[in-house]
Amino acid sequence: MTNEPQGREVPASRRIAADLRNGIESGKYPQGSKLPSQRDLAKLYGVARNTVDEALKLLGQQGIVTSEWGRGVFVRENKPLLRLGSDRYSPKYRESGLSPFLLECAKQGKTGRFQVLSIDRAKPDKELAERLKVSEKTKSVLRRENVFWADEDPVYRVTTWIPWILAQGTGLLEEVVPHKFGIHGVLEEKGHTVVRINDEVTARMPTPEEVQYLQLPRGVPVLDVLHTSLDREGEPFEVTRFVMRADMNGLNYNAPVE
């Protein structure tokens, strides 16, 4: 039985996709297992191979299966999520000697690393300038662009902006930030400790560039987290956009209700 709507003729490719999806959800085809070949599926359902191909494409677009050239089609495995939490900058983690991302990787037995794409002095757009209370007419921010990896998986595409007046002359201009707590360790030494964060979260499909950097399979969306750090005076001093693979990442917030 399929989950397709009744009352009208459903294309064979959609019926096959729904039946295979049911088989995956029921455990007939476990995570990581290889589906029958297109030839065998065509024989099983009594259709042409191009109909089976269309059904498998539908499952790929839904993020349920992945195709490997020369090997076949496999049921996608649900990997443990890296969770970006509201307490990730808490002093209680300082004894770990790890930055927030590396700490989350360590919790899951993964090795985190960073690929630096660019570091430059940039002119912010109007929205960013307003968030950081800097000029939009000059190169008033430091921009750092990175890809974060957990073991062999690229999981975040990250862009960070910091007022140039805070960043100039510091280790923030170096590829490897010379502080065990990363960017925020450097900023704390300049008197800007995170006491409040503002995260704005949306879900969307990725851009072609994000597909490339995050090695995204078909059908996998991204979580777009626009983060702002605020200090004890309530002043914003850092904005970061995290573009996160939705199949490998989650969000975990525990905050008072105001």
Side-chain angles (χ1 to χ4, degrees):
M1 181 178 293
T2 71
N3 295 322
E4 295 292 344
Q6 304 299 312
R8 66 175 185 272
E9 186 68 23
V10 176
S13 59
R14 290 181 60 188
R15 287 190 283 105
I16 293 169
D19 193 57
L20 290 172
R21 185 170 61 246
N22 288 340
I24 292 168
E25 292 172 351
S26 69
K28 179 180 178 181
Y29 303 115
Q31 292 183 27
S33 66
K34 183 179 178 181
L35 292 181
S37 68
Q38 289 190 17
R39 178 181 299 175
D40 289 343
L41 288 172
K43 183 177 180 180
L44 174 66
Y45 289 105
V47 297
R49 287 183 63 177
N50 65 331
T51 302
V52 171
D53 182 61
E54 184 62 31
L56 295 175
K57 285 181 179 178
L58 288 171
L59 292 178
Q61 291 167 1
Q62 295 166 12
I64 297 173
V65 301
T66 58
S67 299
E68 297 185 22
W69 181 258
R71 294 191 62 213
V73 179
F74 295 81
V75 179
R76 185 186 302 283
E77 294 185 76
N78 294 325
K79 299 183 179 181
L81 297 179
L82 294 169
R83 295 197 177 274
L84 193 69
S86 57
D87 69 342
R88 59 190 182 272
Y89 304 116
S90 173
K92 67 185 179 183
Y93 296 124
R94 288 305 164 81
E95 291 184 4
S96 72
L98 299 172
S99 67
F101 175 69
L102 295 180
L103 178 66
E104 182 58 39
C105 287
K107 289 179 182 177
Q108 297 199 17
K110 296 178 180 290
T111 300
R113 61 184 175 91
F114 309 87
Q115 175 190 359
V116 179
L117 303 179
S118 66
I119 303 172
D120 63 353
R121 186 175 179 178
K123 183 187 294 186
D125 61 25
K126 182 177 181 181
E127 180 185 0
L128 179 59
E130 290 177 351
R131 286 176 183 271
L132 285 175
K133 299 183 180 180
V134 297
S135 172
E136 64 179 288
K137 298 179 180 179
T138 63
K139 293 184 176 181
S140 59
V141 296
L142 170 70
R143 177 176 58 195
R144 295 180 58 96
E145 297 184 285
N146 303 273
V147 175
F148 288 15
W149 294 69
D151 288 342
E152 299 305 313
D153 296 314
V155 290
Y156 300 169
R157 172 73 160 79
V158 181
T159 305
T160 296
W161 298 271
I162 298 166
W164 181 253
I165 194 172
L166 297 180
Q168 61 181 332
T170 72
L172 297 175
L173 279 69
E174 300 179 27
E175 283 203 8
V176 179
V177 176
H179 198 292
K180 62 182 178 181
F181 301 129
I183 286 174
H184 287 89
V186 174
L187 290 168
E188 282 186 13
E189 291 182 349
K190 292 184 70 68
H192 295 277
T193 299
V194 181
V195 298
R196 189 172 188 84
I197 64 173
N198 181 41
D199 285 356
E200 301 166 51
V201 184
T202 57
R204 58 177 174 82
M205 296 308 294
T207 66
E209 182 186 46
E210 291 162 353
V211 169
Q212 175 188 351
Y213 278 117
L214 296 177
Q215 300 178 11
L216 284 164
R218 286 187 304 171
V220 175
V222 294
L223 298 174
D224 190 321
V225 181
L226 187 61
H227 161 86
T228 303
S229 293
L230 301 130
D231 63 18
R232 292 186 179 92
E233 306 302 322
E235 292 297 315
F237 61 92
E238 172 246 348
V239 170
T240 296
R241 166 160 272 123
F242 299 90
V243 178
M244 309 163 66
R245 286 185 58 152
D247 62 336
M248 293 184 177
N249 291 281
L251 302 170
N252 183 25
Y253 290 90
N254 181 3
V257 178
E258 299 178 340

